[in-house]
Amino acid sequence: MYSIDDNEVIEIVGKEKLEGELIPQGSKNGALPLIAASIVFDYPVKLYNIPNIEDVNILLSILKYINCKIKFENNELSIDCSNLDKYEIPWELASKMRASFDLLGPIVFKFSKARIPFPGGCLIGNRKVDIHLYAAKQLGFEVEINKGDVFISNFNKSKINKVINFWIPSVGATKNVVFLAAFAANIINDEILVNNIAVEPEVIKLFDFLISNGFNLEYSIEKKYLKIKPFKLKNYNYYEDFNILDRIEAGTYILAALATKGRIFVKENSYFKDYFKLYLTLNSLLNVLKQIGFKVEIYNDGIYCGYEGDNLKLDGDLKSIDIETGYYPEFPTDLQPQIVALALSINGISTIKEKVFDDRFIYVNELRRLGADIDVIDNKIAIVKGGRELSGAKVIATDIRGGAAILIASLIANNTSVISNIYQIKRGYENLINKFSNLKAKIKLRFNKENEVYGYKY
Ligand code: EPU
């Protein structure tokens, strides 16, 4: 949730062209489910390429509470959950991040029950969990909501429905259902089918990780179904895996570089199968960038994006943006605020429609403080009048991606901007001051010594 208790701020002097190379971090939304899933194994798991960011550290603090041993150094995470002994997560820990709800499925798989605080709303919308709870009931569990907790228990195999249809391809519900259905499939010794699952790369990475550890899953990315069949967990002494790259972090830096009319080369990692390669996971973004008129080139070792090219002679050659967000492989909602920031630097009227979350434009108020001319219609469509001069101001990071958009807008504004509540940005972006500095941004982190944190609570 929104808070303004940070004692550090980010200071940016705008109007510098970003230029250089980015080595993307490990994926935040890839790491969280792998970490949560690791609790079901009795053997130690080592995960490479885990970003050292607030959201990961909060999830690790919850794992420590339920008695997992953790070692996290240099983006390598060792997890030993052989002594896991708690199926309840207290509010004090769970309220710090929504992704603690990712533990629901793994805990139920392990203990046949779980008690987890009902996740609250947040600054991007309602974020309901009705599909998670529907799936649990369909799979034979009782679901109780009491004193703010979701309690899943009393599994009854005679109540199982072996076909589950999601009405939205929810990322969170897909991650949880795989464990609930695996538990049920093992007891009835039969297969369970889930239709209309999420196929985000981070979800598919979770499936592959579970398959490597013995889960018997069959999935179709095209038809969006998942079959969960009876299985036995592997009897490893030890298991290790490599987290995928963060397409949203990479996309954020690409959009920042282009907004400043600069250029960037984003390094690919050849370790992964095609589905996880950045140039594919960012395909929807890269297509939009080409349509705008930027130069986009794909190489074996990375992606080049720049404000240059045969098709671009004058500023006026850039076309304004007209897009809508959607479920993978459509344009990611997690890049919606950042592309709104890019639209501020492009002449003409851009239209960006949010279709995944019901309230993901709160950050727009902060962009307005920089002088942005943006109308938001029904909390769904941002109409951006681009190409106007922005001027540096004191602004507040509202949420992770909204905060990233505010940062990008500060990079293109005149003079100095000071961003407070940067905890929100740090939730998702590792080492961001160094990374932006390496790209030649004039950016620094400093104490909020003059007590500049101000503003109202959203
Ligand atoms: N929804 C329901 N009922 C449910 C579940 C979801 O109506 O039971 C609705 C939500 O209210 C929302 C939409 O479905 O409007 C999408 O929700 P989803 O469950 O797919 O998202 P999530 O699991 O809560 C993850 C990412 C988000 C990312 C979304 C969509 C993590 C930890 N979070 O959230 O990441 O935006 O998928 O891709 O993986 C971020 O990184 O900034 C971020 C918000």
Side-chain angles (χ1 to χ4, degrees):
M1 279 306 281
Y2 184 74
S3 68
I4 46 172
D5 54 6
D6 252 356
N7 55 15
E8 282 178 328
V9 291
I10 291 175
E11 190 178 286
I12 291 176
V13 182
K15 290 277 171 207
E16 294 294 321
K17 265 188 198 177
L18 298 201
E19 214 173 317
E21 187 176 283
L22 175 83
I23 299 177
Q25 69 184 36
S27 164
K28 169 179 87 76
N29 292 344
L32 297 171
L34 297 186
I35 296 170
S38 297
I39 72 165
V40 307
F41 310 122
D42 287 332
Y43 43 84
V45 173
K46 186 159 187 185
L47 299 172
Y48 296 94
N49 204 26
I50 301 297
N52 189 354
I53 50 176
E54 298 291 324
D55 274 14
V56 164
N57 286 310
I58 294 169
L59 185 59
L60 294 181
S61 68
I62 300 179
L63 258 56
K64 282 183 197 154
Y65 169 82
I66 58 177
N67 242 344
C68 299
K69 282 195 204 117
I70 305 288
K71 192 172 163 218
F72 186 27
E73 268 173 14
N74 302 324
N75 302 111
E76 293 178 14
L77 173 64
S78 303
I79 305 178
D80 180 349
C81 292
S82 49
N83 292 321
L84 191 71
D85 61 358
K86 292 190 184 69
Y87 65 90
E88 297 176 301
I89 312 268
W91 163 251
E92 292 69 32
L93 288 171
S95 61
K96 290 189 181 157
M97 73 179 308
R98 278 191 58 88
S100 53
F101 212 66
D102 277 6
L103 285 167
L104 184 86
I107 294 182
V108 171
F109 182 85
K110 191 94 183 170
F111 295 108
S112 75
K113 58 185 171 185
R115 190 191 301 277
I116 300 203
F118 197 97
C122 77
L123 278 172
I124 59 177
N126 276 319
R127 307 194 73 176
K128 294 191 285 186
V129 288
D130 49 344
I131 305 170
H132 302 239
L133 305 186
Y134 163 83
K137 285 182 201 155
Q138 294 293 301
L139 288 165
F141 293 93
E142 267 178 27
V143 176
E144 218 182 304
I145 295 168
N146 194 5
K147 294 185 182 162
D149 289 336
V150 175
F151 186 42
I152 306 237
S153 63
N154 286 338
F155 175 75
N156 179 343
K157 66 178 181 184
S158 67
K159 291 193 178 159
I160 290 181
N161 185 346
K162 287 186 275 182
V163 179
I164 295 176
N165 298 312
F166 282 0
W167 52 96
I168 292 174
S170 155
V171 169
T174 304
K175 290 183 293 188
N176 270 327
V177 80
V178 61
F179 294 96
L180 302 175
F183 178 94
N186 275 350
I187 291 192
I188 60 173
N189 198 24
D190 203 352
E191 162 182 312
I192 288 164
L193 169 68
V194 187
N195 288 312
N196 199 24
I197 56 160
V199 293
E200 269 66 6
E202 298 77 20
V203 173
I204 301 302
K205 176 65 202 179
L206 172 67
F207 292 165
D208 290 356
F209 172 83
L210 293 174
I211 291 168
S212 302
N213 282 285
F215 278 62
N216 191 352
L217 309 178
E218 181 193 320
Y219 59 81
S220 164
I221 287 164
E222 293 72 33
K223 297 185 181 150
K224 293 196 166 192
Y225 72 72
L226 171 68
K227 287 182 184 164
I228 302 113
K229 303 173 190 179
F231 69 100
K232 279 204 175 68
L233 283 176
K234 298 273 189 209
N235 201 10
Y236 294 137
N237 290 325
Y238 165 76
Y239 177 79
E240 57 182 18
D241 211 328
F242 201 93
N243 181 27
I244 61 175
L245 297 182
D246 198 315
R247 62 193 168 103
I248 304 301
E249 190 221 22
T252 301
Y253 282 91
I254 290 173
L255 289 166
L258 296 178
T260 64
K261 306 217 179 329
R263 59 185 73 174
I264 187 166
F265 186 79
V266 179
K267 291 281 277 180
E268 187 73 84
N269 187 322
S270 55
Y271 180 89
F272 299 108
K273 70 178 189 184
D274 274 355
Y275 198 67
F276 301 137
K277 293 261 170 66
L278 272 181
Y279 79 93
L280 284 178
T281 62
L282 283 172
N283 192 36
S284 58
L285 170 69
L286 299 178
N287 283 337
V288 171
L289 297 178
K290 284 188 225 162
Q291 280 160 21
I292 297 172
F294 293 114
K295 188 167 189 173
V296 174
E297 287 173 342
I298 312 292
Y299 298 93
N300 280 341
D301 60 340
I303 305 167
Y304 172 85
C305 296
Y307 174 76
E308 59 165 335
D310 305 336
N311 54 344
L312 185 64
K313 291 164 201 90
L314 298 163
D315 268 25
D317 288 346
L318 288 181
K319 292 191 187 63
S320 53
I321 304 166
D322 185 4
I323 56 155
E324 49 185 53
T325 65
Y327 300 98
Y328 195 81
E330 291 172 47
F331 192 91
T333 170
D334 291 344
L335 288 175
Q336 176 263 99
Q338 301 90 316
I339 202 157
V340 165
L342 173 71
L344 292 171
S345 72
I346 296 174
N347 288 334
I349 296 183
S350 290
T351 307
I352 289 119
K353 186 170 182 187
E354 173 58 52
K355 282 184 35 193
V356 176
F357 289 106
D358 55 15
D359 198 7
R360 204 169 195 177
F361 288 111
I362 301 245
Y363 67 90
V364 164
N365 270 325
E366 297 302 312
L367 297 184
R368 289 184 184 130
R369 288 189 202 227
L370 296 164
D373 189 344
I374 304 175
D375 286 331
V376 177
I377 301 167
D378 293 339
N379 271 347
K380 285 191 175 59
I381 306 175
I383 312 282
V384 184
K385 289 166 201 138
R388 304 184 180 203
E389 283 288 301
L390 303 183
S391 88
K394 291 178 178 174
V395 276
I396 303 171
T398 49
D399 60 276
I400 308 181
R401 311 303 173 189
I406 290 160
L407 198 156
I408 294 173
S410 304
L411 290 169
I412 57 179
N414 285 313
N415 305 321
T416 304
S417 296
V418 178
I419 309 176
S420 59
N421 202 39
I422 57 167
Y423 164 77
Q424 284 294 343
I425 311 181
K426 289 200 283 186
R427 286 180 48 209
Y429 295 90
E430 181 177 51
N431 215 0
L432 92 152
I433 302 293
N434 280 347
K435 283 187 163 182
F436 273 110
S437 299
N438 287 343
L439 291 168
K440 304 191 179 144
K442 279 197 181 151
I443 182 169
K444 69 179 181 194
L445 188 69
R446 65 165 170 77
F447 276 116
N448 170 33
K449 52 182 185 293
E450 293 125 36
N451 202 19
E452 288 153 315
V453 173
Y454 70 106
Y456 40 86
K457 289 202 176 198
Y458 286 91

